[in-house]
Amino acid sequence: LPLQTCSAAAFTIVRKGLWPCSIGLASRDADVEKPASCNSPDFFGLGSGSGKLCHNGQRIEWRGAEGFTEGDYIEMLFQGHLGTLHVAKNSRVLGQAQGLLQQKLSAASRGAGLCWAVSASDSGWAIRVERIDPLAFGKSGPATQHIAAGQIDDEDDIC
């Protein structure tokens, strides 16, 4: 996701695992297959238990944070030029996940670039990730938010 990008993704939690999971953005250099990759400086995401921001071994509180579980539909809107990440859960906007992370997100998008990512602690998790129209963020459910084919080049922005 280039710096000037406004991109949105939806994470449908199909099945919950036994251990925590994080969803969000990762640097293209991140190894999301590595255990606890959500604790690296290359991952910016929400933890399943509390909805707190997970980055570089920290759990950062933000107003609106809520955990997620099986059946939830989590949308995220990333505004690269601002380094902001907005979150909606089940078509209800929770707010902007912010804090000291904003500068780091902006810097990461200028470096290797970012992509949508999942960091699961065990194989029990099943999460569908799809890109959605940024203009539809938080306005409707999973059946109506798919981007029309060919509208946006989706190569390499989901990892």
Side-chain angles (χ1 to χ4, degrees):
L1 305 174
L3 179 61
Q4 298 304 318
T5 295
C6 181
S7 180
F11 298 80
T12 304
I13 314 305
V14 177
R15 188 178 62 243
K16 182 179 187 264
L18 296 174
W19 298 97
C21 173
S22 296
I23 57 176
L25 293 161
S27 164
R28 292 197 183 282
D29 295 336
D31 182 1
V32 295
E33 298 292 326
K34 182 179 171 184
S37 62
C38 63
N39 292 321
S40 80
D42 296 322
F43 192 90
F44 308 87
L46 304 178
S48 59
S50 66
K52 290 180 183 178
L53 283 166
C54 304
H55 175 68
N56 204 17
Q58 298 178 333
R59 298 297 181 265
I60 304 163
E61 293 202 36
W62 60 281
R63 188 179 180 149
E66 289 184 15
F68 55 87
T69 191
E70 188 171 315
D72 285 337
Y73 181 75
I74 309 298
E75 299 167 77
M76 293 187 187
L77 173 68
F78 174 65
Q79 294 174 300
H81 63 291
L82 298 173
T84 59
L85 183 64
H86 298 267
V87 181
K89 178 180 174 182
N90 301 325
S91 303
R92 181 174 46 88
V93 176
L94 300 179
Q96 179 180 333
Q98 60 186 14
L100 297 175
L101 197 60
Q102 188 168 335
Q103 290 178 335
K104 293 177 183 179
L105 256 173
S106 185
S109 67
R110 285 192 296 272
L114 296 168
C115 55
W116 296 108
V118 173
S119 174
S121 300
D122 66 67
S123 61
W125 287 92
I127 299 174
R128 183 176 42 248
V129 183
E130 57 191 327
R131 192 146 58 135
I132 59 172
D133 184 343
L135 297 175
F137 169 79
K139 295 180 182 163
S140 58
T144 59
Q145 291 202 351
H146 300 280
I147 291 180
Q151 188 175 5
I152 296 176
D153 176 18
D154 66 349
E155 182 136 350
D156 290 328
D157 70 349
I158 296 178
C159 62

